[in-house]
Amino acid sequence: MTSLADLASADLSALRAAKRPLRRPGGAGQKARVRADALADMGISTVLDLLTHYPRRYLDRTTQTPIPELEAGTDATVLATVRRVQRLPARRGGRPVVVVDVSDGRGYLSLSFFNQPWRSQQLSEGMEVAVSGKVTRFRGRRQMANPSVEVVEGDWTGRVVPIYPQSEKAGISSMEIGACVDEALGRAGPLEDPVPAWVLDRHGLAPRDWSLRQAHRPGSLADAYTARRRLGFDELLRLQLLLVMRKRALEKGAVGIAQRVGSPLVEAFRARLAFPLTSAQQKAIAEIEADLAKPVPMHRLLQGDVGSGKTLVALWCLLNAVAGGYQGALMAPTEVLAEQHHLSLSAALAGLTLPDPESLLGERPVRVGLLTNQVSGAERARALGDLAQGKVDIVVGTHALLTEAVRFARLGLVVIDEQHRFGVEQRAALRAKADGVLPDVLVMTATPIPRTAAMTVYGDLDTTVLDELPPGRSPVRTVWARGPLEVDAAWEAVRQEVAAGHQAYVVCPLVEESERVQASSAREERDRLSEGPLRGLRLGLLHGQLPERDKEAVMAQFRAGQLDVLVATTVVEVGVDVPNATVIVIEDAERFGMAQLHQLRGRVGRGTARSSCFLLGEASTPEAAERLAALERTNDGFELAEVDLDLRGEGTILGTRQKGVSDLKLASLRRHRKYVALAREVAFEIVGDDPQLRRYPALAAELMALVDDDEREYLFKS
Ligand code: ADP
Ligand code: MG
């Protein structure tokens, strides 16, 4: 039996001349070399690469639309035979053109190739081809201009023809690839199936050997899809197995803290809250507390929509740690946010006390500290000293918390309020700050990310979802203001809200060049607005280049209602919380991403008053138009995250952050959401209490072959 690991290590030199010769000069050795070069150009260097170079599509000879029935204006693919190839000289000022007539026995189709003189060499009479392109009609004849052409030469007898993604440039045809695949499959012999039979039975998945063969040479279209379903599932399963194993490896041997939950401190905090917890918050807290109480370090993701009250949940958990005699750290992505968290935490905790036998009264207040890069000199030295001596219970900070110099006395819980800015490495760095015993870690996302993406990007974390907003919030009315009249209406709305005693944000167009340019354009915009549409209102300006003191001062003025309108760059993006602000105008909205716009919109609608959001500007791409329309349509961040995933594809969302995503050839996090969840479930079952897969050696061998040395060491040897 051949394993996937064998295929991954076998290079292509073993494949000698496949049956179909390449249309290149030279002897057999030369041909094989040319073929290997061509495959290498396409990134195919092992037998596994070749066998996972799956057909892009399949053509079923028996269900082809006959040429006479092709409709003008539609995209079509037809199998046909070349009848005539003509190379027409360029007309004066025109382009050289090759005209090829093809026929399927029912009718004729005329193909025109502009600026592709080599087509007259590539195609010749009698050749069978699959052509794809847009059908047009000219003088009663069906035509295609610059279609893509796959040569389906000679001995392809099957009913279903596989069409491989091929590189015209690499000089290898779809059928030549098919022939190489055939030969490789023939040599490989029967393939081992490492996935346990109970998984296949339960989910109706076909055997691997059959699937790999059918994916390349299907007996029918239905078989091809059954085969691809199985192979795609395997891709997702491998990815999830690695994630689950990584999760187990993190937990293994790690000594955590069994935190005491439900202390009088937390009760006192609850009693002082001005509002009851939402049931989603209660559920989330229960889940997190159960984790905190375990002696295993927690690694948990808290997902929730903008305004769902994640901060409160985080604070609750921090207090649990503090009540048990530990320190908590809250890390924010920006200084503005850290300052704000520090302010609001200090306010929320004012008056709360901890028992303290050393003090006269037998108790002392809960102490909150701040550590950002703005805290410097003696102040910084003192902050660091307090942290190291345990004189601070909760520290709020930015990346500065990660630097070497920061030492904790008894770090118990780290909350990371992240906006895709803290990576795995930072998480590890922070954890390393507690020597020996690992603190619990709670990661909060700023905006929701799709469930399937969360299972993958944060696949080594457990997930808690806050799926409910506090009561009394009315959804933010969102208007995409495209034309000048609508833009005027937006400024009018700002003036009205201010007249009614509310406040507004204006977010300036995103300028990519530099922070400095961004700042000056924000200044110009403030000037323009104060002389134009917002004349007479009290305007403040906030951008990243302002000294930290000025930023704080402006925010304080805005919070205190001394400013009507805050003209700002995206520094107000996350977390800024001024409930009296009821309108936000986002200029040149198409420049911002979906999550960013949703996050910005979340700056309003935080109180009970009705709020609105105006998205200004045209959309220059269909994608931008869909994004803005989606924001108009819904306030649900989870729904928007899904739309975003559809619009942008998985690559942009997942980036390179997750190994193994690039190995997804058939499976898509976007199109196969159900299978992602299924694979994760199965992965948990398989790994179970056997984190190195000793019970499934074939599966373990397969995974080992696919990961790099470090990962292999980490997952299988440790
Ligand atoms: P986010 O999830 O975006 O971080 P926040 O934690 O900033 O949301 O909460 C948004 C606002 O909702 C804050 O003003 C907070 O005080 C308020 N809030 C949080 N929980 C509740 C609740 N259970 N009932 C009413 N208001 C709440
Ligand atoms: Mg928040």
Side-chain angles (χ1 to χ4, degrees), residues 305-306 447-450 598 601 634-642:
D305 209 341
V306 181
T447 47
I449 60 173
H598 181 58
R601 173 170 65 180
T634 180
N635 272 275
D636 181 338
F638 285 94
E639 190 180 329
L640 291 173
E642 296 289 346

Side-chain angles (χ1 to χ4, degrees), residues 275-276 278 281 305-312 470 473 577 606:
F275 38 72
T278 64
Q281 282 170 324
D305 209 341
V306 181
S308 58
K310 294 185 288 287
T311 316
L312 178 57
R473 302 268 176 84
D577 190 14
R606 303 181 79 84

Side-chain angles (χ1 to χ4, degrees), residues 62-78:
T62 60
T63 59
Q64 288 292 295
T65 308
I67 290 177
E69 289 169 26
L70 292 179
E71 300 217 19
T74 60
D75 287 311
T77 301
V78 287

Side-chain angles (χ1 to χ4, degrees), residues 273-279 281 304-313 340-341 417 444-446 466 469-471 473 575-577 579 599 602-603 606:
L273 279 179
F275 38 72
L277 296 173
T278 64
S279 57
Q281 282 170 324
D305 209 341
V306 181
S308 58
K310 294 185 288 287
T311 316
L312 178 57
V313 173
Q340 180 181 292
H341 274 320
D417 184 1
M444 303 196 286
T445 55
L466 273 187
L469 295 181
R473 302 268 176 84
V576 169
D577 190 14
Q599 189 55 243
R603 295 316 98 214
R606 303 181 79 84

Side-chain angles (χ1 to χ4, degrees), residues 16 109 114 127 155 179 228 335-336 351 382 392 429 436 438 445 457 465 505 525 566 623 641 665 672 690:
R16 237 169 286 121
L109 179 67
F114 298 96
M127 214 175 236
D155 63 349
R228 291 169 82 97
E335 311 233 315
V336 169
R382 192 164 47 80
V392 166
L438 292 183
T445 55
V457 184
V465 178
Y505 298 97
E525 186 56 16
L566 190 63
E623 192 196 305
K665 292 184 172 160
H672 306 127
D690 175 25

Side-chain angles (χ1 to χ4, degrees), residues 404-471:
E404 274 295 308
V406 183
R407 297 260 179 276
F408 291 86
R410 288 187 87 199
L411 182 58
L413 172 64
V414 180
V415 177
I416 300 175
D417 184 1
E418 89 157 9
Q419 205 213 359
H420 308 294
R421 287 180 210 177
F422 290 114
V424 177
E425 303 79 31
Q426 284 97 331
R427 242 187 274 161
L430 197 47
R431 279 211 330 269
K433 298 224 160 280
D435 22 30
V437 187
L438 292 183
D440 291 312
V441 175
L442 181 69
V443 178
M444 303 196 286
T445 55
T447 47
I449 60 173
R451 219 166 74 86
T452 49
M455 280 178 189
T456 313
V457 184
Y458 297 99
D460 49 1
L461 306 181
D462 296 302
T463 308
T464 292
V465 178
L466 273 187
D467 52 5
E468 179 189 358
L469 295 181

